[in-house]
Amino acid sequence: MTESVASTQETHGPDPRRWKILGLVGIAQLMLILDVTVVAIALPHMGAELGLGRETLTWVVSGYTLTFGGLLLLGGRAVDLFGARRLALLGLLLFATASLVAGLATSGPMLLGGRVAQGLAAAILSPAALSLVVTLFEGDERNKALGIWSALGGTGAALGVLLGGLLTAGPGWPWVFFINIPVGVVVLLTLRVQLPPQPRPAVRGRLDIPGAVLVTAATGTLTYGLIRAGDQGWATLTTAAFLVVAAVLYVAFVARQRLAASPLMDVKLLIRRPVAAGTLLILVATALMIMVFFLGTFYLQDYREYGALTTGLLFLPVALSTMAGASAAGRIIGRTGPRTLGVLGLLLAAAGMVVPALWGGTTAMVIGVAVAAAGTGVVFVVASATALGQIEPHEAGLASGIVSTFHEFGASLGAAVVSSMAAASIAGTDAAGFSRGFTTGAVVATAAALLAFFITPKPSSQ
């Protein structure tokens, strides 16, 4: 993977363009992250204009993140087979095209089709971009670069809500998609000049399409079951059937990986303690982040009746606290170690979500989610530094795909769970659902903190 970049580093030292390239692929990744939460603020307006119900609106978020996450392992494997440069440029082109389709949507199916196409493009682009970061930097510089990359996850998501409010209140909700087109084209043309040409990587093999289908179907079934639970109930045969089918499909995926000549995932890599801990943290942090934004946008716009612009501005403290948490974590993780910092970040997130769960009102919600966002900002940095800090260059594509996969699965599952827990409130019939949603987030964060304490390795054991 990225053989020419790696060999250049070995012979001539670090590539002098590495920080400029980091900035460019960082913008590309920021665009992918923004596309989750920038859309969240526009959901009520999409629903009103296109006549979409709660389930369909949930799939506007989950359809993107599910396709993104479900195909990321395939994207990571493709990076190792065909090279990060080729895949990054292809992903940017496809993402800009899919954004045009979504922005022009005149019906639910067309909108969902554009979102699925965006997810496919993101699954190609994201592991290629992160793979470039891992291979261009070494040692302390790699940790610093990964810290910057990790901060994009939390800050980008928070800023997406503010941008979504500005665009929705201004030119209208289609512009949450149209904005990607000029940005994507500029980054594509600039990266094409900055990235050196690559020969075909030495890694050989085939893409495991059946494996990609199995893991995507498994998570899609699980997500659909969780969304349906909001209407059908959690203790029903229908919900149980979806969960059982999802479990069977996951087992089939693991069996496929053990038997395939060119598996999609090296299961041994996933069970390494640092990688396992990092994927858990990224899964939970993303789920919590999406819970906050999904609940917040419906609470402020539908229940409190604020406009899209006001809602976006009310989320500005969330963006700032996320950046503060990520920045602080990047500075002190070397001294505290990942375990202590990860646990503290999760507990801070839990404490923040307790506030709107116990007290109503806009002030309590904004303060609570800002505190929670600071905690998730910390966890994003810890997650990437833990999972990718000691990855070898030839594993960069796959490892990047694994981490990004769990990031998107966390978004899909977070949206599905909180949509079901707060279904009545989102439908406008019962305000208590918002409290249940925030309580669920606090419980998830607390349980994850306990688990992270036991599985996150100390620096000496990594």
PDB file of all heavy atoms in Angstrom, residues 29-61:
ATOM      1  N   GLN A  29     -11.793  14.437   4.367  1.00  0.00           N
ATOM      2  CA  GLN A  29     -12.404  13.688   5.457  1.00  0.00           C
ATOM      3  C   GLN A  29     -13.429  14.535   6.196  1.00  0.00           C
ATOM      4  O   GLN A  29     -14.489  14.041   6.599  1.00  0.00           O
ATOM      5  CB  GLN A  29     -11.324  13.194   6.425  1.00  0.00           C
ATOM      6  CG  GLN A  29     -11.843  12.449   7.643  1.00  0.00           C
ATOM      7  CD  GLN A  29     -12.436  11.094   7.306  1.00  0.00           C
ATOM      8  OE1 GLN A  29     -12.386  10.632   6.165  1.00  0.00           O
ATOM      9  NE2 GLN A  29     -12.991  10.429   8.306  1.00  0.00           N
ATOM     10  N   LEU A  30     -13.110  15.811   6.374  1.00  0.00           N
ATOM     11  CA  LEU A  30     -14.050  16.720   7.042  1.00  0.00           C
ATOM     12  C   LEU A  30     -15.361  16.793   6.269  1.00  0.00           C
ATOM     13  O   LEU A  30     -16.443  16.819   6.857  1.00  0.00           O
ATOM     14  CB  LEU A  30     -13.424  18.107   7.157  1.00  0.00           C
ATOM     15  CG  LEU A  30     -14.199  19.161   7.952  1.00  0.00           C
ATOM     16  CD1 LEU A  30     -14.331  18.743   9.409  1.00  0.00           C
ATOM     17  CD2 LEU A  30     -13.501  20.507   7.854  1.00  0.00           C
ATOM     18  N   MET A  31     -15.277  16.787   4.947  1.00  0.00           N
ATOM     19  CA  MET A  31     -16.475  16.813   4.111  1.00  0.00           C
ATOM     20  C   MET A  31     -17.323  15.573   4.353  1.00  0.00           C
ATOM     21  O   MET A  31     -18.558  15.651   4.427  1.00  0.00           O
ATOM     22  CB  MET A  31     -16.051  16.898   2.638  1.00  0.00           C
ATOM     23  CG  MET A  31     -17.174  17.031   1.644  1.00  0.00           C
ATOM     24  SD  MET A  31     -16.563  17.405  -0.012  1.00  0.00           S
ATOM     25  CE  MET A  31     -15.556  15.944  -0.342  1.00  0.00           C
ATOM     26  N   LEU A  32     -16.667  14.408   4.496  1.00  0.00           N
ATOM     27  CA  LEU A  32     -17.408  13.167   4.744  1.00  0.00           C
ATOM     28  C   LEU A  32     -18.074  13.189   6.119  1.00  0.00           C
ATOM     29  O   LEU A  32     -19.206  12.716   6.276  1.00  0.00           O
ATOM     30  CB  LEU A  32     -16.466  11.962   4.654  1.00  0.00           C
ATOM     31  CG  LEU A  32     -15.658  11.796   3.365  1.00  0.00           C
ATOM     32  CD1 LEU A  32     -14.871  10.492   3.396  1.00  0.00           C
ATOM     33  CD2 LEU A  32     -16.555  11.856   2.142  1.00  0.00           C
ATOM     34  N   ILE A  33     -17.371  13.708   7.125  1.00  0.00           N
ATOM     35  CA  ILE A  33     -17.929  13.770   8.476  1.00  0.00           C
ATOM     36  C   ILE A  33     -19.062  14.788   8.542  1.00  0.00           C
ATOM     37  O   ILE A  33     -20.115  14.543   9.142  1.00  0.00           O
ATOM     38  CB  ILE A  33     -16.827  14.145   9.496  1.00  0.00           C
ATOM     39  CG1 ILE A  33     -15.721  13.083   9.505  1.00  0.00           C
ATOM     40  CG2 ILE A  33     -17.416  14.309  10.887  1.00  0.00           C
ATOM     41  CD1 ILE A  33     -16.177  11.704   9.903  1.00  0.00           C
ATOM     42  N   LEU A  34     -18.834  15.944   7.922  1.00  0.00           N
ATOM     43  CA  LEU A  34     -19.877  16.973   7.904  1.00  0.00           C
ATOM     44  C   LEU A  34     -21.172  16.445   7.304  1.00  0.00           C
ATOM     45  O   LEU A  34     -22.261  16.860   7.697  1.00  0.00           O
ATOM     46  CB  LEU A  34     -19.409  18.187   7.096  1.00  0.00           C
ATOM     47  CG  LEU A  34     -18.405  19.142   7.736  1.00  0.00           C
ATOM     48  CD1 LEU A  34     -17.904  20.140   6.709  1.00  0.00           C
ATOM     49  CD2 LEU A  34     -19.016  19.867   8.923  1.00  0.00           C
ATOM     50  N   ASP A  35     -21.052  15.533   6.359  1.00  0.00           N
ATOM     51  CA  ASP A  35     -22.234  15.078   5.641  1.00  0.00           C
ATOM     52  C   ASP A  35     -23.163  14.237   6.510  1.00  0.00           C
ATOM     53  O   ASP A  35     -24.258  13.899   6.073  1.00  0.00           O
ATOM     54  CB  ASP A  35     -21.828  14.288   4.395  1.00  0.00           C
ATOM     55  CG  ASP A  35     -22.667  14.673   3.191  1.00  0.00           C
ATOM     56  OD1 ASP A  35     -22.688  15.870   2.866  1.00  0.00           O
ATOM     57  OD2 ASP A  35     -23.310  13.786   2.594  1.00  0.00           O
ATOM     58  N   VAL A  36     -22.724  13.875   7.706  1.00  0.00           N
ATOM     59  CA  VAL A  36     -23.615  13.196   8.644  1.00  0.00           C
ATOM     60  C   VAL A  36     -24.455  14.225   9.390  1.00  0.00           C
ATOM     61  O   VAL A  36     -25.683  14.184   9.384  1.00  0.00           O
ATOM     62  CB  VAL A  36     -22.826  12.325   9.638  1.00  0.00           C
ATOM     63  CG1 VAL A  36     -23.780  11.663  10.628  1.00  0.00           C
ATOM     64  CG2 VAL A  36     -22.012  11.271   8.898  1.00  0.00           C
ATOM     65  N   THR A  37     -23.788  15.193  10.024  1.00  0.00           N
ATOM     66  CA  THR A  37     -24.520  16.123  10.886  1.00  0.00           C
ATOM     67  C   THR A  37     -25.042  17.350  10.158  1.00  0.00           C
ATOM     68  O   THR A  37     -26.004  17.969  10.607  1.00  0.00           O
ATOM     69  CB  THR A  37     -23.629  16.570  12.059  1.00  0.00           C
ATOM     70  OG1 THR A  37     -22.398  17.091  11.539  1.00  0.00           O
ATOM     71  CG2 THR A  37     -23.336  15.399  12.968  1.00  0.00           C
ATOM     72  N   VAL A  38     -24.428  17.728   9.022  1.00  0.00           N
ATOM     73  CA  VAL A  38     -24.965  18.862   8.274  1.00  0.00           C
ATOM     74  C   VAL A  38     -26.355  18.513   7.745  1.00  0.00           C
ATOM     75  O   VAL A  38     -27.222  19.377   7.582  1.00  0.00           O
ATOM     76  CB  VAL A  38     -24.011  19.258   7.124  1.00  0.00           C
ATOM     77  CG1 VAL A  38     -24.089  18.281   5.963  1.00  0.00           C
ATOM     78  CG2 VAL A  38     -24.304  20.675   6.643  1.00  0.00           C
ATOM     79  N   VAL A  39     -26.568  17.218   7.508  1.00  0.00           N
ATOM     80  CA  VAL A  39     -27.875  16.752   7.040  1.00  0.00           C
ATOM     81  C   VAL A  39     -28.877  16.692   8.188  1.00  0.00           C
ATOM     82  O   VAL A  39     -30.075  16.929   7.996  1.00  0.00           O
ATOM     83  CB  VAL A  39     -27.736  15.376   6.362  1.00  0.00           C
ATOM     84  CG1 VAL A  39     -29.096  14.754   6.067  1.00  0.00           C
ATOM     85  CG2 VAL A  39     -26.934  15.508   5.074  1.00  0.00           C
ATOM     86  N   ALA A  40     -28.389  16.389   9.398  1.00  0.00           N
ATOM     87  CA  ALA A  40     -29.293  16.224  10.541  1.00  0.00           C
ATOM     88  C   ALA A  40     -30.138  17.465  10.782  1.00  0.00           C
ATOM     89  O   ALA A  40     -31.329  17.372  11.084  1.00  0.00           O
ATOM     90  CB  ALA A  40     -28.493  15.873  11.796  1.00  0.00           C
ATOM     91  N   ILE A  41     -29.522  18.637  10.640  1.00  0.00           N
ATOM     92  CA  ILE A  41     -30.253  19.873  10.925  1.00  0.00           C
ATOM     93  C   ILE A  41     -31.333  20.132   9.876  1.00  0.00           C
ATOM     94  O   ILE A  41     -32.316  20.831  10.127  1.00  0.00           O
ATOM     95  CB  ILE A  41     -29.263  21.063  10.973  1.00  0.00           C
ATOM     96  CG1 ILE A  41     -29.812  22.189  11.872  1.00  0.00           C
ATOM     97  CG2 ILE A  41     -28.956  21.594   9.606  1.00  0.00           C
ATOM     98  CD1 ILE A  41     -29.694  21.900  13.316  1.00  0.00           C
ATOM     99  N   ALA A  42     -31.154  19.555   8.686  1.00  0.00           N
ATOM    100  CA  ALA A  42     -32.106  19.782   7.591  1.00  0.00           C
ATOM    101  C   ALA A  42     -33.212  18.737   7.548  1.00  0.00           C
ATOM    102  O   ALA A  42     -34.141  18.863   6.732  1.00  0.00           O
ATOM    103  CB  ALA A  42     -31.362  19.796   6.252  1.00  0.00           C
ATOM    104  N   LEU A  43     -33.155  17.711   8.395  1.00  0.00           N
ATOM    105  CA  LEU A  43     -34.129  16.624   8.331  1.00  0.00           C
ATOM    106  C   LEU A  43     -35.584  17.086   8.426  1.00  0.00           C
ATOM    107  O   LEU A  43     -36.426  16.655   7.622  1.00  0.00           O
ATOM    108  CB  LEU A  43     -33.827  15.585   9.413  1.00  0.00           C
ATOM    109  CG  LEU A  43     -32.582  14.719   9.205  1.00  0.00           C
ATOM    110  CD1 LEU A  43     -32.372  13.802  10.408  1.00  0.00           C
ATOM    111  CD2 LEU A  43     -32.688  13.896   7.928  1.00  0.00           C
ATOM    112  N   PRO A  44     -35.935  17.941   9.400  1.00  0.00           N
ATOM    113  CA  PRO A  44     -37.345  18.366   9.454  1.00  0.00           C
ATOM    114  C   PRO A  44     -37.808  19.061   8.175  1.00  0.00           C
ATOM    115  O   PRO A  44     -38.951  18.891   7.748  1.00  0.00           O
ATOM    116  CB  PRO A  44     -37.369  19.321  10.658  1.00  0.00           C
ATOM    117  CG  PRO A  44     -36.225  18.883  11.519  1.00  0.00           C
ATOM    118  CD  PRO A  44     -35.164  18.467  10.548  1.00  0.00           C
ATOM    119  N   HIS A  45     -36.928  19.817   7.543  1.00  0.00           N
ATOM    120  CA  HIS A  45     -37.288  20.527   6.312  1.00  0.00           C
ATOM    121  C   HIS A  45     -37.410  19.554   5.142  1.00  0.00           C
ATOM    122  O   HIS A  45     -38.301  19.699   4.299  1.00  0.00           O
ATOM    123  CB  HIS A  45     -36.240  21.599   6.010  1.00  0.00           C
ATOM    124  CG  HIS A  45     -36.184  22.684   7.045  1.00  0.00           C
ATOM    125  ND1 HIS A  45     -36.831  23.893   6.909  1.00  0.00           N
ATOM    126  CD2 HIS A  45     -35.576  22.723   8.266  1.00  0.00           C
ATOM    127  CE1 HIS A  45     -36.617  24.637   7.980  1.00  0.00           C
ATOM    128  NE2 HIS A  45     -35.858  23.954   8.818  1.00  0.00           N
ATOM    129  N   MET A  46     -36.514  18.571   5.075  1.00  0.00           N
ATOM    130  CA  MET A  46     -36.636  17.536   4.039  1.00  0.00           C
ATOM    131  C   MET A  46     -37.953  16.781   4.193  1.00  0.00           C
ATOM    132  O   MET A  46     -38.659  16.517   3.213  1.00  0.00           O
ATOM    133  CB  MET A  46     -35.478  16.528   4.152  1.00  0.00           C
ATOM    134  CG  MET A  46     -34.122  17.075   3.830  1.00  0.00           C
ATOM    135  SD  MET A  46     -32.868  15.787   4.087  1.00  0.00           S
ATOM    136  CE  MET A  46     -31.370  16.755   3.929  1.00  0.00           C
ATOM    137  N   GLY A  47     -38.255  16.420   5.442  1.00  0.00           N
ATOM    138  CA  GLY A  47     -39.487  15.680   5.705  1.00  0.00           C
ATOM    139  C   GLY A  47     -40.721  16.457   5.290  1.00  0.00           C
ATOM    140  O   GLY A  47     -41.650  15.916   4.674  1.00  0.00           O
ATOM    141  N   ALA A  48     -40.744  17.763   5.597  1.00  0.00           N
ATOM    142  CA  ALA A  48     -41.905  18.587   5.262  1.00  0.00           C
ATOM    143  C   ALA A  48     -42.043  18.772   3.755  1.00  0.00           C
ATOM    144  O   ALA A  48     -43.147  18.700   3.206  1.00  0.00           O
ATOM    145  CB  ALA A  48     -41.782  19.947   5.955  1.00  0.00           C
ATOM    146  N   GLU A  49     -40.932  18.998   3.058  1.00  0.00           N
ATOM    147  CA  GLU A  49     -41.000  19.283   1.615  1.00  0.00           C
ATOM    148  C   GLU A  49     -41.241  18.031   0.785  1.00  0.00           C
ATOM    149  O   GLU A  49     -41.971  18.074  -0.217  1.00  0.00           O
ATOM    150  CB  GLU A  49     -39.714  19.966   1.160  1.00  0.00           C
ATOM    151  CG  GLU A  49     -39.751  20.404  -0.297  1.00  0.00           C
ATOM    152  CD  GLU A  49     -38.582  21.290  -0.670  1.00  0.00           C
ATOM    153  OE1 GLU A  49     -38.159  22.100   0.192  1.00  0.00           O
ATOM    154  OE2 GLU A  49     -38.080  21.189  -1.801  1.00  0.00           O
ATOM    155  N   LEU A  50     -40.623  16.898   1.187  1.00  0.00           N
ATOM    156  CA  LEU A  50     -40.732  15.673   0.390  1.00  0.00           C
ATOM    157  C   LEU A  50     -41.754  14.685   0.942  1.00  0.00           C
ATOM    158  O   LEU A  50     -41.948  13.614   0.370  1.00  0.00           O
ATOM    159  CB  LEU A  50     -39.357  14.987   0.289  1.00  0.00           C
ATOM    160  CG  LEU A  50     -38.238  15.812  -0.353  1.00  0.00           C
ATOM    161  CD1 LEU A  50     -36.936  15.019  -0.385  1.00  0.00           C
ATOM    162  CD2 LEU A  50     -38.626  16.260  -1.755  1.00  0.00           C
ATOM    163  N   GLY A  51     -42.379  15.029   2.075  1.00  0.00           N
ATOM    164  CA  GLY A  51     -43.385  14.149   2.662  1.00  0.00           C
ATOM    165  C   GLY A  51     -42.799  12.875   3.232  1.00  0.00           C
ATOM    166  O   GLY A  51     -43.341  11.788   3.011  1.00  0.00           O
ATOM    167  N   LEU A  52     -41.714  12.973   4.006  1.00  0.00           N
ATOM    168  CA  LEU A  52     -41.021  11.802   4.534  1.00  0.00           C
ATOM    169  C   LEU A  52     -41.372  11.599   6.004  1.00  0.00           C
ATOM    170  O   LEU A  52     -41.434  12.559   6.782  1.00  0.00           O
ATOM    171  CB  LEU A  52     -39.505  11.977   4.394  1.00  0.00           C
ATOM    172  CG  LEU A  52     -38.991  12.325   2.986  1.00  0.00           C
ATOM    173  CD1 LEU A  52     -37.480  12.487   3.004  1.00  0.00           C
ATOM    174  CD2 LEU A  52     -39.416  11.276   1.982  1.00  0.00           C
ATOM    175  N   GLY A  53     -41.574  10.336   6.423  1.00  0.00           N
ATOM    176  CA  GLY A  53     -41.864   9.999   7.807  1.00  0.00           C
ATOM    177  C   GLY A  53     -40.601   9.755   8.617  1.00  0.00           C
ATOM    178  O   GLY A  53     -39.478   9.864   8.116  1.00  0.00           O
ATOM    179  N   ARG A  54     -40.781   9.389   9.915  1.00  0.00           N
ATOM    180  CA  ARG A  54     -39.652   9.202  10.824  1.00  0.00           C
ATOM    181  C   ARG A  54     -38.687   8.129  10.334  1.00  0.00           C
ATOM    182  O   ARG A  54     -37.465   8.311  10.360  1.00  0.00           O
ATOM    183  CB  ARG A  54     -40.156   8.825  12.230  1.00  0.00           C
ATOM    184  CG  ARG A  54     -39.025   8.602  13.247  1.00  0.00           C
ATOM    185  CD  ARG A  54     -39.557   8.037  14.543  1.00  0.00           C
ATOM    186  NE  ARG A  54     -40.045   6.671  14.395  1.00  0.00           N
ATOM    187  CZ  ARG A  54     -39.273   5.584  14.481  1.00  0.00           C
ATOM    188  NH1 ARG A  54     -37.980   5.698  14.687  1.00  0.00           N
ATOM    189  NH2 ARG A  54     -39.798   4.382  14.348  1.00  0.00           N
ATOM    190  N   GLU A  55     -39.215   6.986   9.898  1.00  0.00           N
ATOM    191  CA  GLU A  55     -38.339   5.902   9.452  1.00  0.00           C
ATOM    192  C   GLU A  55     -37.495   6.329   8.261  1.00  0.00           C
ATOM    193  O   GLU A  55     -36.291   6.061   8.209  1.00  0.00           O
ATOM    194  CB  GLU A  55     -39.158   4.654   9.094  1.00  0.00           C
ATOM    195  CG  GLU A  55     -39.672   3.884  10.290  1.00  0.00           C
ATOM    196  CD  GLU A  55     -40.191   2.502   9.893  1.00  0.00           C
ATOM    197  OE1 GLU A  55     -39.804   2.008   8.812  1.00  0.00           O
ATOM    198  OE2 GLU A  55     -40.973   1.924  10.659  1.00  0.00           O
ATOM    199  N   THR A  56     -38.113   6.983   7.294  1.00  0.00           N
ATOM    200  CA  THR A  56     -37.367   7.420   6.110  1.00  0.00           C
ATOM    201  C   THR A  56     -36.325   8.461   6.473  1.00  0.00           C
ATOM    202  O   THR A  56     -35.188   8.429   5.980  1.00  0.00           O
ATOM    203  CB  THR A  56     -38.324   7.992   5.051  1.00  0.00           C
ATOM    204  OG1 THR A  56     -39.317   7.013   4.734  1.00  0.00           O
ATOM    205  CG2 THR A  56     -37.574   8.375   3.793  1.00  0.00           C
ATOM    206  N   LEU A  57     -36.680   9.399   7.361  1.00  0.00           N
ATOM    207  CA  LEU A  57     -35.726  10.414   7.781  1.00  0.00           C
ATOM    208  C   LEU A  57     -34.544   9.783   8.521  1.00  0.00           C
ATOM    209  O   LEU A  57     -33.403  10.230   8.385  1.00  0.00           O
ATOM    210  CB  LEU A  57     -36.412  11.459   8.670  1.00  0.00           C
ATOM    211  CG  LEU A  57     -37.387  12.401   7.954  1.00  0.00           C
ATOM    212  CD1 LEU A  57     -38.087  13.302   8.963  1.00  0.00           C
ATOM    213  CD2 LEU A  57     -36.652  13.239   6.910  1.00  0.00           C
ATOM    214  N   THR A  58     -34.825   8.745   9.308  1.00  0.00           N
ATOM    215  CA  THR A  58     -33.734   8.046   9.982  1.00  0.00           C
ATOM    216  C   THR A  58     -32.800   7.407   8.961  1.00  0.00           C
ATOM    217  O   THR A  58     -31.571   7.433   9.109  1.00  0.00           O
ATOM    218  CB  THR A  58     -34.288   6.966  10.921  1.00  0.00           C
ATOM    219  OG1 THR A  58     -35.186   7.574  11.855  1.00  0.00           O
ATOM    220  CG2 THR A  58     -33.156   6.287  11.690  1.00  0.00           C
ATOM    221  N   TRP A  59     -33.373   6.869   7.888  1.00  0.00           N
ATOM    222  CA  TRP A  59     -32.555   6.239   6.850  1.00  0.00           C
ATOM    223  C   TRP A  59     -31.788   7.253   6.022  1.00  0.00           C
ATOM    224  O   TRP A  59     -30.776   6.893   5.381  1.00  0.00           O
ATOM    225  CB  TRP A  59     -33.416   5.360   5.943  1.00  0.00           C
ATOM    226  CG  TRP A  59     -33.655   4.014   6.529  1.00  0.00           C
ATOM    227  CD1 TRP A  59     -34.821   3.538   7.052  1.00  0.00           C
ATOM    228  CD2 TRP A  59     -32.690   2.961   6.684  1.00  0.00           C
ATOM    229  NE1 TRP A  59     -34.643   2.258   7.516  1.00  0.00           N
ATOM    230  CE2 TRP A  59     -33.348   1.883   7.311  1.00  0.00           C
ATOM    231  CE3 TRP A  59     -31.340   2.839   6.361  1.00  0.00           C
ATOM    232  CZ2 TRP A  59     -32.695   0.691   7.620  1.00  0.00           C
ATOM    233  CZ3 TRP A  59     -30.678   1.653   6.669  1.00  0.00           C
ATOM    234  CH2 TRP A  59     -31.362   0.597   7.282  1.00  0.00           C
ATOM    235  N   VAL A  60     -32.209   8.524   6.011  1.00  0.00           N
ATOM    236  CA  VAL A  60     -31.413   9.554   5.340  1.00  0.00           C
ATOM    237  C   VAL A  60     -30.047   9.666   6.025  1.00  0.00           C
ATOM    238  O   VAL A  60     -29.025   9.897   5.373  1.00  0.00           O
ATOM    239  CB  VAL A  60     -32.146  10.910   5.355  1.00  0.00           C
ATOM    240  CG1 VAL A  60     -31.243  12.030   4.838  1.00  0.00           C
ATOM    241  CG2 VAL A  60     -33.402  10.832   4.494  1.00  0.00           C
ATOM    242  N   VAL A  61     -30.020   9.473   7.346  1.00  0.00           N
ATOM    243  CA  VAL A  61     -28.757   9.425   8.086  1.00  0.00           C
ATOM    244  C   VAL A  61     -28.132   8.038   7.996  1.00  0.00           C
ATOM    245  O   VAL A  61     -26.978   7.866   7.598  1.00  0.00           O
ATOM    246  CB  VAL A  61     -28.973   9.818   9.569  1.00  0.00           C
ATOM    247  CG1 VAL A  61     -27.670   9.662  10.355  1.00  0.00           C
ATOM    248  CG2 VAL A  61     -29.476  11.245   9.673  1.00  0.00           C
TER     249      VAL A  61
END
